[in-house]
Amino acid sequence: MFSRFPITPLLRIWARLGLRARLTAFFLLTLLPLVGLVIAMVVQERAQKIELARHDTFLFAERGAVQQGEILLQARSALQMLALMPEVRRMAPGKCFQILAQAAALYPWNAGFSVVTPDGDPQCTNVGIPLPNIADRVYFQQAMETRRLATSGFMLGRVSGKPRMAMALPALNDDGAVEAVLVTGIDLEWLSALSAEVAEASGGTVTLFDANGTVLAREPDPTGLTGHAMAGTPLVQQILRQGAGVIEGPGLDGVPRITSFAPLGDTGARITVGVSREQTVAAVDRKLLLGSGLMVVLVFLTVIGLWVLMERLVLRQLRGLLASAERLSVDRFDIAHPCHPGPAPNHAGEIGEVSRAVHAMGRALQSIALKDPLTGLGNRRFLDGHMARLEAAGPPPGGAGVAVLYLDLDGFKPINDRHGHPVGDAVLAEVGMRLLRSIRDGDVAVRLGGDEFVILARIPPEPAGGADTASAGALALAARIIHDLSLPLAAGGLDLRIGCSAGVALWPWYHPDPARVLHGADQALYAAKKAGRGQAVLWREGMPA
């Protein structure tokens, strides 16, 4: 009957295998899930490294754009201040130069202040060298025509040959005519500092393009691209077309890079931060190669060990059983043989232990993410663990404690609804970065979800004024955070503003249970929202739940 169902060649081979070979094959099959899990984890880590590099480079690019925006605001304020001084407006000999030199010392970004006649001739300047007539400059003509402040795009200075911006502000007399024009140059010293930080963090390259795709500055620049027009390359074309974002592909030097870019205000210029994709995943690839090699060696040694153990602990016993059976068949029973009646060794337990150990290794290979991937802050699981540790440790001695700040962004939802989630995510990422800059080492910043955040700030032991001093310090920190988050920010090529409200509660002064303190801070936040937003409220007895 069985002849109707011929055995396949694979089954024939399996039927010919001995017990040791079959058990080895089963053992290797039990390793396959573990191998797959390890490979999946390495691949996932590789993808996370790439995504982290995309996130970090974009934050660097946006930070450069924010720094440039802050410099432009300072330049505007400096020119407006100088325009109010009669000695400057009238280009008083000696006094005008002295005032301009003092102003230049206050602003490290400036490339010099000058007072120019309506004809474009510099009459008073702290630059120290004769300056050419600037009547042909578009920004100067625009300032004369509109009688308002005008800003140039990035350009190469006529005297310095370096990429700079210029800003011009007309000073009007009582009749409304232009009496003089105040001019300042803005250099790119901040770009060098940003480039050094990028190079230290990721070995990347920072590049500045003007609106036409010309490389104005690049650090480092081993290939000498500064000053070259690159508008014809696919990378620059995509950068100029999109405005802000992240691109993966060949960089200007042909090296595959992860390139993030952001606009510099309304100048049309772009700042880009690029890191080598190969360098980003090199550590993970080395780990994969090393892990694969170790796994092959481990499997090889394990198979050899399994064969030896099978020989000593199983096959030897089976051969003894066979020999005993043969002896019994011919009445030659040997009392010294392992199959002698009595307790026989049981080796199944040892094999079972090996199998259970392998499965235990598989179950042990897991990780728990404790960070919010968007902002880099701790997540709710991290906060729960931290609060549990505070509760387990109990109130600290000596008057120390923790200030709990419960934060909620004001005006974020309209931005997210109007401009979409990518812009909203960029705003949240910037909020996370500003919160990290606002707290001290040892303090904790957490994103609970949405636009809610929590700060846990350490209160040193034995403050001079007890709870009053601790409350004042916590409210001062909350006020600083509200101020920092209220500053303008750039996201998705847009200049945006948000606000922040904060509720403050002190542990253990409010309650020895950290969870109750967090709830109290939430109540105080509700009170701050109800009182008009943009402020911090300390929890007090009697606040509504």
Side-chain angles (χ1 to χ4, degrees), residues 332-349:
R332 291 174 56 193
F333 182 74
D334 184 1
I335 193 171
H337 198 268
C339 286
H340 176 263
N346 181 11
H347 302 287

Side-chain angles (χ1 to χ4, degrees), residues 403-408 410 452-454 471 474-475 478 482 500-506 510 515-545:
V404 179
L405 282 63
Y406 207 118
L407 310 176
D408 186 78
D410 300 330
E452 291 186 339
F453 299 82
V454 168
S471 301
L475 290 173
I482 292 173
C500 175
S501 300
V504 181
L506 305 180
Y510 164 51
R516 292 284 299 275
V517 178
L518 181 64
H519 180 66
D522 189 18
Q523 291 178 292
L525 172 63
Y526 176 78
K529 289 279 192 181
K530 191 174 180 180
R533 305 175 183 267
Q535 56 185 294
V537 171
L538 181 68
W539 183 90
R540 302 289 185 188
E541 288 287 351
M543 278 190 174

Side-chain angles (χ1 to χ4, degrees), residues 254-318:
V255 176
R257 292 184 180 275
I258 300 172
T259 303
S260 297
F261 52 95
L264 292 179
D266 55 359
T267 64
R270 302 287 191 276
I271 181 173
T272 70
V273 178
V275 296
S276 170
R277 194 177 191 277
E278 180 179 349
Q279 185 175 350
T280 300
V281 298
V284 180
D285 291 343
R286 286 194 298 269
K287 184 186 296 184
L288 176 60
L289 182 61
L290 178 60
S292 301
L294 290 177
M295 188 175 300
V296 169
V297 173
L298 177 62
V299 170
F300 177 77
L301 294 177
T302 303
V303 169
I304 296 298
L306 180 62
W307 278 63
V308 173
L309 289 176
M310 286 290 295
E311 173 65 29
R312 294 178 61 86
L313 303 178
V314 178
L315 296 180
R316 183 178 296 178
Q317 305 302 323
L318 292 178

Side-chain angles (χ1 to χ4, degrees), residues 1-33:
M1 179 178 65
F2 293 102
S3 60
R4 298 179 183 178
F5 305 96
I7 302 177
T8 63
L10 185 60
L11 291 179
R12 288 196 188 98
I13 295 175
W14 180 258
R16 294 171 183 168
L17 292 177
L19 178 61
R20 179 162 52 184
R22 291 188 183 188
L23 289 178
T24 302
F26 279 124
F27 174 74
L28 293 177
L29 287 176
T30 61
L31 286 180
L32 286 180

Side-chain angles (χ1 to χ4, degrees), residues 138-498:
V138 175
Y139 70 90
F140 180 81
Q141 296 172 358
Q142 183 179 357
M144 291 294 298
E145 180 180 352
T146 62
R147 286 174 166 73
R148 294 182 179 179
L149 184 135
T151 304
S152 73
F154 282 96
M155 58 186 179
L156 296 176
R158 290 177 174 175
V159 177
S160 66
K162 298 180 179 180
R164 289 176 176 171
M165 287 184 66
M167 185 176 289
L169 176 67
L172 308 181
N173 59 22
D174 295 338
D175 298 329
V178 177
E179 182 177 4
V181 180
L182 284 81
V183 179
T184 186
I186 303 171
D187 64 20
L188 299 178
E189 289 297 327
W190 59 268
L191 185 66
S192 298
L194 181 64
S195 301
E197 187 173 351
V198 170
E200 181 179 356
S202 60
T205 301
V206 179
T207 308
L208 183 67
F209 298 95
D210 66 8
N212 299 318
T214 300
V215 179
L216 296 176
R218 180 176 172 88
E219 293 190 17
D221 187 18
T223 55
L225 295 177
T226 301
H228 288 72
M230 307 299 293
T233 61
L235 175 65
V236 177
Q237 289 176 355
Q238 189 171 356
I239 289 174
L240 296 178
R241 183 170 59 250
Q242 292 185 3
V246 183
I247 301 173
E248 291 191 39
L252 297 179
D253 52 3
V255 176
R257 292 184 180 275
I258 300 172
T259 303
S260 297
F261 52 95
L264 292 179
D266 55 359
T267 64
R270 302 287 191 276
I271 181 173
T272 70
V273 178
V275 296
S276 170
R277 194 177 191 277
E278 180 179 349
Q279 185 175 350
T280 300
V281 298
V284 180
D285 291 343
R286 286 194 298 269
K287 184 186 296 184
L288 176 60
L289 182 61
L290 178 60
S292 301
L294 290 177
M295 188 175 300
V296 169
V297 173
L298 177 62
V299 170
F300 177 77
L301 294 177
T302 303
V303 169
I304 296 298
L306 180 62
W307 278 63
V308 173
L309 289 176
M310 286 290 295
E311 173 65 29
R312 294 178 61 86
L313 303 178
V314 178
L315 296 180
R316 183 178 296 178
Q317 305 302 323
L318 292 178
R319 293 192 191 100
L321 178 61
L322 178 60
S324 296
E326 291 176 349
R327 289 185 177 90
L328 287 173
S329 64
V330 293
D331 295 330
R332 291 174 56 193
F333 182 74
D334 184 1
I335 193 171
H337 198 268
C339 286
H340 176 263
N346 181 11
H347 302 287
E350 297 177 3
I351 299 175
E353 286 293 333
V354 173
S355 178
R356 286 191 292 272
V358 172
H359 286 287
M361 289 172 59
R363 291 192 300 268
L365 291 174
Q366 58 181 340
S367 62
I368 300 175
L370 295 177
K371 280 192 175 182
D372 175 51
L374 179 61
T375 61
L377 306 179
N379 58 15
R380 183 178 289 274
R381 180 178 294 172
F382 174 83
L383 177 64
D384 291 342
H386 194 83
M387 300 293 276
R389 288 191 294 271
L390 288 180
E391 182 179 7
V402 175
V404 179
L405 282 63
Y406 207 118
L407 310 176
D408 186 78
L409 302 183
D410 300 330
F412 172 76
K413 187 177 185 302
I415 292 176
N416 199 50
D417 294 342
R418 180 178 181 183
H419 301 293
H421 292 297
V423 173
D425 290 347
V427 171
L428 292 175
E430 174 64 20
V431 168
M433 187 168 60
R434 293 188 182 186
L435 288 178
L436 290 176
R437 291 200 300 261
S438 299
I439 62 177
R440 303 162 300 179
D441 290 340
D443 293 346
V444 174
V446 173
R447 180 190 175 207
L448 293 181
D451 57 354
E452 291 186 339
F453 299 82
V454 168
I455 302 295
L456 303 179
R458 296 175 294 103
I459 299 175
E462 298 182 0
D468 293 338
T469 300
S471 301
L475 290 173
L477 173 61
R480 185 166 69 251
I481 291 175
I482 292 173
H483 174 268
D484 291 346
L485 297 185
S486 301
L487 295 175
L489 58 87
L494 303 171
D495 293 330
L496 304 172
R497 279 183 177 272
I498 58 172

